[in-house]
Amino acid sequence: MDRSGKEALGAELKDKFLKAKVAIFADYKGLKASEADDFRKALRAQKTEVKVLKNNIGRLITKDGALGEDAKQIMDRMVGPTLVAFSYGDPAATAKVVSTFAKTYEALKIKDGLLDGKLLPSAQVIELGDLPSREVLLGKLLSVFNGPIAAFVRLLDAVEKKKGGGAESAPAAEGAQQ
C-alpha cells in the first residue's frame, strides 16, 4: 500500500474512532474463519463494525493527538494482529458480545478499549460486558421511581379505610337506609 492509500485508510479509521461510542481492541490470532464470521455477525446486530487495524496506521492516526492521549497510549502498546470493534450503539451490549466470545473462544483476547475517548483496560471491558442491558437498567430505574409513589398510594388508601370508608361505603350506607 502506498503512502496516499495509508493516509486515506488512516483518515477513515480516525473518523470511525471519533464517531464510535466505544472501540474495543482484541487479538484474534488463532480464531477460525467461521468463528470470526460468527463474531462479526453478532457484533453487527449491536450496531458495531469490526476492522483489522494495522498497528503502524494506528500510530499514524494518533500522532497528532486529535484522538486523545489515551488513544495514543493504546496504539503505542499495540503489538501483533489487532481487531477493533467500533460500537455506534450501546457500549455495554458490544462489550457483552466481545467478552462472551472471548470466554467461549480462547483465541480471542481482549486488549483494551476506548470509551468516549478514555482508556478502558481489558478488565473493565469485561465488567462493562457483565452489566445488564440498557433496557433492564432502565426498568430497574423506573421501578425505583415507582416504589415511593406506590407506597404513597397505599398509605392514602389505608388512611381512607381507617377514616371509615370514602366512596366504597357510601352506596352501602344508602342501601341500608332504605
Side-chain angles (χ1 to χ4, degrees):
M1 183 181 291
D2 64 343
R3 180 122 179 112
S4 63
K6 287 181 182 178
E7 288 174 356
L9 180 61
E12 177 188 340
L13 285 171
K14 191 176 209 178
D15 186 50
K16 290 181 188 309
F17 274 109
L18 292 171
K19 287 182 181 176
K21 292 181 180 178
V22 68
I24 299 173
F25 301 86
D27 182 354
Y28 65 96
K29 188 173 49 180
L31 203 61
K32 295 178 184 169
S34 61
E35 296 167 349
D37 288 342
D38 291 343
F39 182 58
R40 288 176 188 265
K41 198 178 295 182
L43 286 172
R44 207 173 299 125
Q46 302 300 327
K47 297 180 185 172
T48 301
E49 186 177 3
V50 177
K51 293 285 183 191
V52 174
L53 179 70
K54 291 180 102 17
N55 295 331
N56 287 340
I57 294 176
R59 288 183 190 92
L60 180 73
I61 64 175
T62 59
K63 189 186 294 186
D64 65 358
L67 296 177
E69 201 55 40
D70 287 341
K72 186 175 183 336
Q73 185 181 31
I74 288 174
M75 292 301 171
D76 287 344
R77 288 186 300 183
M78 287 298 149
V79 177
T82 303
L83 174 142
V84 184
F86 296 101
S87 174
Y88 306 109
D90 184 13
T94 298
K96 184 180 293 288
V97 170
V98 173
S99 64
T100 300
F101 265 82
K103 289 174 188 171
T104 306
Y105 303 106
E106 290 181 18
L108 184 70
K109 294 175 180 62
I110 299 171
K111 291 183 177 181
D112 281 322
L114 283 173
L115 179 65
D116 293 326
K118 301 292 182 213
L119 176 65
L120 198 62
S122 60
Q124 288 182 348
V125 171
I126 294 168
E127 285 177 20
L128 182 62
D130 290 341
L131 286 176
S133 70
R134 182 177 189 272
E135 291 78 19
V136 171
L137 289 174
L138 286 174
K140 287 181 179 182
L141 180 65
L142 287 176
S143 70
V144 167
F145 287 151
N146 195 28
I149 294 170
F152 183 67
V153 169
R154 284 191 300 273
L155 175 71
L156 289 177
D157 187 46
V159 168
E160 186 175 320
K161 285 181 181 177
K162 190 172 187 177
K163 283 186 176 179
E168 292 176 1
S169 62
E174 289 177 16
Q177 290 177 353
Q178 292 178 0

